[in-house]
Amino acid sequence: MTANHDSSNGTHPFRMKRLEETEVEEGVRYRPAPQSPPDSVSNETTESAETTGFFARGRDYESAYINHHYSKAERELLGTYESLDYLPPHSQAYKNWLRKQPARLDWDRWVMMGMIGFIVGIIGFLIHQCIDVISDFKWDRAEELIQDDEIMKAWGFVLIYSLGFVLLASLPVVYLRPSATGSGIPELIGYLNGTMVGKIFNVKTLVVKIWSCICAVGSGMPVGPEGPMIHIGSLVGAGLSQFKSDTLGFKLPYFTRFRNSEDRRNFISAGAAAGVASAFGAPVGGLLFSMEEVSSFWNLKLSWMTFFCCIISTFTTDLFDSAFSGFQYTGYFGMFSAEKNIMFQVRKGLDVNLWLFIPTVILGIIGGLLGALFVFINLKLARLRRLVMRKLAKIWKQNIAKWIEPCIIMIIFATLTVFLPALFSCSPFTCYLQGEKVSPDTYSPNCLTTPTEIEPEPTVSIYNCEPGVKFKNETSQWSNASYSELATLMFVTGEEAISHLFSRETHLEFNYPSLLTMLVVYYPLSCWTAGTAMSTGLVVPMLLIGALYGRIIGLIMVSIFGVQTEENPYWAWMDPGALALIGSASFFGGVSRLTMSLSVIMMEITNDIQFLLPIMVAIVVSKWVGDFFTHPIYHALLEFKCIPFLDHEPIIYDEHNKAVNLELHYARDAMVSPVLVLHTRETVHKLASLLRDTKHGGFPIVKSDENGDRRFLGLITRTELCVLLKQEDLFEAVEEPSDDAPELTPLEYQELIVDKIPIGMEDVLDELCNNEQNQNLYLNLAPYYNQSASCVHENFSLHRTYIIYRTMGLRHLTVVDRHNQVVGFLTRKDLMGFQLEETMARLDLQNQD
Ligand code: ATP
């Protein structure tokens, strides 16, 4: 996320534009729409906003320093999301339950982390093997047909095969689990920030996600499995740690103490990290990714545990990978070879030279620009998609359009893949034997494509060119051995294409036409594919696109300065493969704006520590440039999906285009007043009416003194009130509390409050309200309200109020005066950047009046 936005007081150039373009509705305050929690952002509930047409008008490119201003419909959608408290309510009942818990060391936490890492590692291994089997069969068969001059047959085969898998990938997502769409990373980030996103951690979502990811990537779509692996990891963390499933209807009596928001979120963070660790073979990168991008709450202990989880995950995937290739047993069980376990093993280390930093900075700038453009187009397409789907829904079934869209992309991509290489001439095969380049007539099966490598590079694609590895006759003669550059990049999975682009000392393996063509085809199609109804990720496209323009820059330099390697090792860094690596990092950085985690991931996937410094420079430059134009992709998608998110720091501008220092403002400036409060003892009728007539998630508990002053005691949530109102045994006919008042036992409390979210409360509330007797029945709330609910003084700095709210993972924050009387209330939506900006604008107006 944009964790470290520059909060300087300067005027931002894009700011004026935003104020001119955005409709700011004066005085509009959010009130939640009466809807159930959304089932992930991509499905049903988003339609309520779509029908108002606001998405078509919404702005979709904003510098990372500018708050997105939500339209009226978007606010309604935003309001359907509920927040989560990070810590459990500290009530008397909770303390009683806690006292009954046995004292434990943390060994069970480590065991759970290990189990999560192991399961994620196995899933990662299975996904990769399946993808390899599916895609290898397709490309081998297609190439055979093309070499036999059966190009139309090859096209037909690729089309049918790919479309079959695209349908298998999208149909379950559209009809069974829309929450499995995309990578799932924005939803995951939103959840860990404290917003409840429905059905993203459900066992059905897990199954559909795995299935859809395998089929989508295997089909050859321009996507990768890494993004979904992160969601899959978090799904495993969320499910396994609870040892229960509402969907499957079981609840085991183990690890029950992890059934709370804090532990669950920690396991989800660890699972996400394990997903990265397994997908990239990068345990440290996984840990840093979870810390930098995914999680909002982090501590040192969680780092250690997540690190352990990542180690187990990478170890498991590598161990099984060592023994199997395409599900065939290789006989090398336990052999952690670099060739297999390092994703893009760089075979030739190069010395870094000061001059390298010039193209590195250029690549960083290109990465930032192209990355920002990628985010911009991605959002434009996402809005257009919603608009078109809405229009289609009137004349057609909308769901049909959802799975037809990826099929159209596949038809275009498969057709271009099969026919485009035919438009390019073949390139001569280079052969090195014992480091020496040999002439075509002495080629042999031991040919290497670079002078220094030990094993052949990933084999190039012959397409319809003369084969370069076949003997013509007994005398071992070769004739016109050549290959197709474009097919070498297109007739493989994205990961293999990246390996080709990273290959070093193969300066002329790819020339401008093939690289530019691939870039022009891949960039828009991967951008289009990203939001379709399949479980797909963007990492492979990001690396591939960056590698393409990085290699182009490398070729330009080689064209200008000539191939320098043999004459002078001082210039050996000027290698298109080396610049492709820096290009990949720059584009990944330009789109995602990751920094530390990306640097480490790039190092772990290439094994090239020598290039760490240029990679870091390219990443930082691309982040600076990208941040100037758009939000990072996941942050932009969070806004697009209207998931309420609180960044680390509030960044607010006033209407005069100046950064607002919230230290100069007070909690009372942003609070909502008056507040609906409750006493420790209320009639059942009053409670039921309050819950029926409002949608608020929490109510401060107060104690009225003889002067009528209402002193703040704590807070009770809507969920807790709902659960208590369902327990008729707790109702009392006397107004004054008695010593033997009925109370939930600690176990009942744990079962009811922590585990259960009441469903079908509308009917219960109606019934309670309509029953006159309930006016004389009382409910004692004293044992159940949160006695450690946070509150701030009304003159407390607004900046610090935000930081307290954000860092403590609060859902509600009560504002009190100097007599400890409740004067205001703050929730997540009151503290969102756009809301604070509107509040400040209103205050300015009031001050002028
Ligand atoms: P969330 O939706 O984040 O889970 P919530 O449901 O408690 O929290 P909302 O209902 O979303 O809060 O709050 C909507 C608006 O109503 C906010 O401006 C908030 O300050 C205000 N609000 C919330 N609770 C109360 C209350 N008890 N009395 C008065 N205003 C409230």
Side-chain angles (χ1 to χ4, degrees):
M1 286 302 35
T2 53
N4 301 314
H5 299 324
D6 181 6
S7 54
S8 65
N9 281 327
T11 298
H12 196 279
F14 284 87
R15 172 72 184 166
M16 198 53 87
K17 192 160 191 232
R18 185 188 68 70
L19 287 174
E20 283 159 12
E21 287 183 11
T22 314
E23 286 177 36
V24 180
E25 287 168 58
E26 194 56 46
V28 172
R29 300 296 286 168
Y30 153 84
R31 284 289 178 273
Q35 290 177 18
S36 54
D39 168 17
S40 155
V41 281
S42 49
N43 46 51
E44 295 83 26
T45 48
T46 52
E47 262 94 86
S48 66
E50 284 174 13
T51 46
T52 63
F54 271 99
F55 280 111
R57 301 216 304 265
R59 295 193 60 238
D60 47 13
Y61 68 97
E62 289 148 348
S63 151
Y65 309 101
I66 287 180
N67 289 302
H68 175 79
H69 270 244
Y70 293 85
S71 64
K72 193 171 167 223
E74 284 178 313
R75 279 164 213 242
E76 267 176 30
L77 182 55
L78 201 75
T80 59
Y81 286 96
E82 293 215 340
S83 307
L84 294 161
D85 268 309
Y86 187 57
L87 296 172
H90 194 242
S91 61
Q92 197 52 51
Y94 169 74
K95 283 183 266 179
N96 291 343
W97 172 80
L98 214 53
R99 276 187 205 109
K100 296 233 160 19
Q101 298 306 301
R104 282 195 195 91
L105 292 174
D106 263 346
W107 63 266
D108 51 352
R109 249 177 249 281
W110 291 97
V111 170
M112 180 55 71
M113 287 291 182
M115 281 162 46
I116 292 171
F118 180 72
I119 304 279
V120 175
I122 297 257
I123 294 177
F125 158 74
L126 291 175
I127 287 181
H128 253 106
Q129 296 288 316
C130 291
I131 290 171
D132 284 350
V133 170
I134 296 170
S135 54
D136 284 353
F137 177 78
K138 173 171 124 178
W139 295 125
D140 290 350
R141 184 84 193 102
E143 193 155 352
E144 272 170 29
L145 287 167
I146 286 176
Q147 280 172 25
D148 294 344
D149 269 344
E150 305 257 33
I151 194 159
M152 290 313 285
K153 258 195 193 169
W155 177 62
F157 167 74
V158 169
L159 214 57
I160 292 168
Y161 190 91
S162 307
L163 279 178
F165 278 101
V166 167
L167 285 175
L168 287 175
S170 60
L171 289 177
V173 170
V174 173
Y175 291 107
L176 291 178
R177 230 39 189 177
S179 49
T181 306
S183 68
I185 298 176
E187 290 85 347
L188 176 60
I189 293 172
Y191 182 87
L192 291 177
N193 190 254
T195 298
M196 180 88 173
V197 186
K199 294 184 185 168
I200 56 163
F201 298 121
N202 180 289
V203 71
K204 278 193 207 159
T205 310
L206 176 66
V207 175
V208 171
K209 191 110 204 167
I210 295 174
W211 173 260
S212 176
C213 171
I214 292 172
C215 295
V217 183
S219 74
M221 280 290 234
V223 292
E226 289 78 11
M229 263 309 288
I230 296 165
H231 187 188
I232 289 167
S234 66
L235 268 155
V236 173
L240 199 64
S241 63
Q242 304 301 291
F243 255 66
K244 70 178 182 99
S245 164
D246 293 338
T247 315
L248 301 180
F250 73 86
K251 188 158 146 194
L252 300 175
Y254 309 109
F255 300 104
T256 48
R257 73 171 179 134
F258 298 147
R259 289 177 195 161
N260 63 70
S261 177
E262 183 187 2
D263 281 317
R264 191 165 189 242
R265 276 199 241 178
N266 288 349
F267 287 120
I268 289 171
S269 298
V276 179
S278 165
F280 293 106
V284 186
L287 166 76
L288 290 177
F289 179 83
S290 188
M291 192 182 82
E292 184 180 0
E293 180 72 353
V294 178
S295 305
S296 293
F297 304 98
W298 200 261
N299 58 51
L300 198 55
K301 194 167 146 195
L302 181 59
S303 303
W304 298 329
M305 297 215 172
T306 305
F307 187 47
F308 174 65
C309 185
C310 291
I311 294 172
I312 298 288
S313 169
T314 309
F315 177 82
T316 310
T317 308
D318 284 358
L319 188 66
F320 284 96
D321 268 345
S322 68
F324 296 96
S325 180
F327 287 118
Q328 306 273 333
Y329 184 62
T330 56
Y332 291 104
F333 183 78
M335 176 83 187
F336 292 84
S337 70
E339 210 50 52
K340 264 201 130 175
N341 297 141
I342 310 259
M343 208 170 169
F344 306 116
Q345 161 76 349
V346 167
R347 293 145 206 264
K348 170 86 176 112
L350 294 174
D351 289 337
V352 171
N353 185 311
L354 187 64
W355 294 107
L356 174 61
F357 289 93
I358 295 173
T360 295
V361 171
I362 294 171
L363 282 171
I365 294 170
I366 297 174
L369 292 174
L370 287 183
L373 184 69
F374 192 90
V375 177
F376 171 74
I377 298 175
N378 196 284
L379 287 188
K380 271 269 177 242
L381 286 172
R383 291 187 199 288
L384 188 69
R385 179 177 297 116
R386 279 207 169 135
L387 201 71
V388 172
M389 293 284 174
R390 211 185 72 219
K391 294 235 159 88
L392 281 180
K394 289 184 186 150
I395 46 170
W396 214 15
K397 282 253 185 245
Q398 189 184 1
N399 279 346
I400 296 180
K402 283 185 181 164
W403 56 259
I404 285 190
E405 187 191 6
C407 292
I408 294 173
I409 301 175
M410 191 71 247
I411 292 170
I412 298 172
F413 193 52
T415 307
L416 290 174
T417 304
V418 173
F419 292 110
L420 262 185
L423 305 178
F424 292 82
S425 52
C426 297
S427 304
F429 200 80
T430 344
C431 174
Y432 287 95
L433 287 176
Q434 288 162 0
E436 294 299 320
K437 193 170 173 180
V438 295
S439 62
D441 48 332
T442 51
Y443 281 7
S444 91
N446 300 323
C447 267
L448 302 174
T449 47
T450 70
T452 47
E453 65 185 281
I454 299 140
E455 286 174 43
E457 290 278 320
T459 43
V460 287
S461 173
I462 306 302
Y463 193 67
N464 60 355
C465 306
E466 283 289 332
V469 284
K470 274 186 193 159
F471 293 104
K472 266 204 154 178
N473 51 41
E474 300 265 329
T475 57
S476 308
Q477 279 202 336
W478 289 69
S479 71
N480 299 331
S482 59
Y483 68 100
S484 163
E485 289 181 19
L486 198 53
T488 300
L489 294 176
M490 294 185 111
F491 270 54
V492 284
T493 59
E495 286 176 18
E496 283 172 78
I498 297 167
S499 297
H500 275 293
L501 292 168
F502 283 177
S503 65
R504 295 181 179 174
E505 294 196 350
T506 53
H507 297 72
L508 298 175
E509 186 178 347
F510 302 103
N511 283 298
Y512 296 111
S514 57
L515 293 173
L516 282 169
T517 311
M518 182 72 179
L519 190 60
V520 169
V521 169
Y522 206 84
Y523 188 99
L525 283 181
S526 61
C527 201
W528 183 8
T529 314
T532 52
M534 292 187 300
S535 177
T536 56
L538 275 174
V539 173
V540 165
M542 287 193 281
L543 292 175
L544 183 50
I545 291 167
L548 285 166
Y549 70 71
R551 208 165 166 108
I552 291 172
I553 297 288
L555 268 190
I556 292 174
M557 295 186 61
V558 170
S559 310
I560 297 172
F561 301 104
V563 180
Q564 310 281 347
T565 49
E566 280 140 40
E567 292 102 61
N568 187 354
Y570 188 78
W571 297 102
W573 58 269
M574 205 187 287
D575 189 305
L579 289 163
L581 170 61
I582 300 174
S584 280
S586 74
F587 191 69
F588 200 156
V591 176
S592 69
R593 317 289 154 77
L594 293 172
T595 52
M596 300 104 65
S597 54
L598 178 55
S599 306
V600 174
I601 288 174
M602 289 308 294
M603 202 191 67
E604 287 182 304
I605 60 176
T606 55
N607 202 10
D608 193 3
I609 193 144
Q610 190 68 3
F611 264 58
L612 182 59
L613 214 52
I615 284 173
M616 291 195 296
V617 170
I619 286 171
V620 169
V621 174
S622 67
K623 178 181 166 52
W624 287 338
V625 175
D627 272 351
F628 194 75
F629 293 102
T630 65
H631 285 289
I633 183 99
Y634 300 127
H635 197 174
L637 287 173
L638 270 169
E639 288 172 349
F640 169 71
K641 296 175 179 205
C642 301
I643 300 175
F645 178 82
L646 293 183
D647 222 326
H648 297 74
E649 289 266 328
I651 294 170
I652 311 294
Y653 288 88
D654 67 11
E655 73 270 33
H656 306 299
N657 197 19
K658 289 261 163 56
V660 177
N661 189 346
L662 291 185
E663 280 284 74
L664 299 173
H665 290 269
Y666 307 104
R668 65 165 184 261
D669 294 340
M671 73 189 189
V672 169
S673 186
V675 189
L676 296 169
V677 296
L678 290 171
H679 291 86
T680 49
R681 203 169 172 81
E682 295 282 5
T683 65
V684 171
H685 188 270
K686 180 179 172 187
L687 291 173
S689 323
L690 184 71
L691 294 186
R692 190 190 56 179
D693 300 340
T694 71
K695 294 288 167 196
H696 297 318
F699 303 90
I701 298 284
V702 294
K703 183 176 182 186
S704 298
D705 61 17
E706 53 285 357
N707 304 327
D709 291 348
R710 302 175 314 172
R711 314 266 184 225
F712 177 64
L713 288 182
L715 189 131
I716 192 153
T717 64
R718 181 185 191 84
T719 313
E720 287 158 340
L721 287 174
C722 287
V723 170
L724 294 173
L725 283 175
K726 277 189 157 182
Q727 309 299 310
E728 287 184 13
D729 303 351
L730 301 179
F731 300 169
E732 291 175 280
V734 282
E735 190 173 353
E736 288 307 311
S738 56
D739 287 343
D740 56 350
E743 226 179 89
L744 287 176
T745 64
L747 195 66
E748 280 172 340
Y749 169 78
Q750 168 71 8
E751 296 258 307
L752 290 171
I753 306 281
V754 182
D755 286 355
K756 242 183 216 162
I757 294 169
I759 303 165
M761 268 316 280
E762 285 82 7
D763 297 342
V764 178
L765 293 178
D766 276 342
E767 219 173 277
L768 291 172
C769 290
N770 294 337
N771 189 345
E772 289 294 313
Q773 281 182 352
N774 288 332
Q775 307 232 8
N776 300 318
L777 287 181
Y778 290 85
L779 188 57
N780 183 20
L781 303 179
Y784 310 111
Y785 73 83
N786 182 1
Q787 296 171 351
S788 300
S790 305
C791 66
V792 289
H793 189 265
E794 58 180 330
N795 287 338
F796 203 75
S797 142
L798 185 52
H799 181 84
R800 294 172 201 207
T801 304
Y802 182 100
I803 301 295
I804 287 177
Y805 186 96
R806 168 68 173 67
T807 46
M808 288 191 65
L810 302 179
R811 183 178 176 189
H812 302 106
L813 186 57
T814 310
V815 184
V816 293
D817 65 9
R818 65 197 169 94
H819 301 297
N820 197 28
Q821 287 205 86
V822 175
V823 290
F825 209 45
L826 286 165
T827 64
R828 165 174 293 262
K829 285 137 206 163
D830 299 320
L831 291 173
M832 286 183 71
F834 82 99
Q835 190 65 72
L836 286 177
E837 284 189 349
E838 289 176 16
T839 306
M840 294 301 130
R842 201 168 30 253
L843 276 177
D844 268 5
L845 273 179
Q846 281 169 10
N847 290 343
Q848 282 165 23
D849 290 348

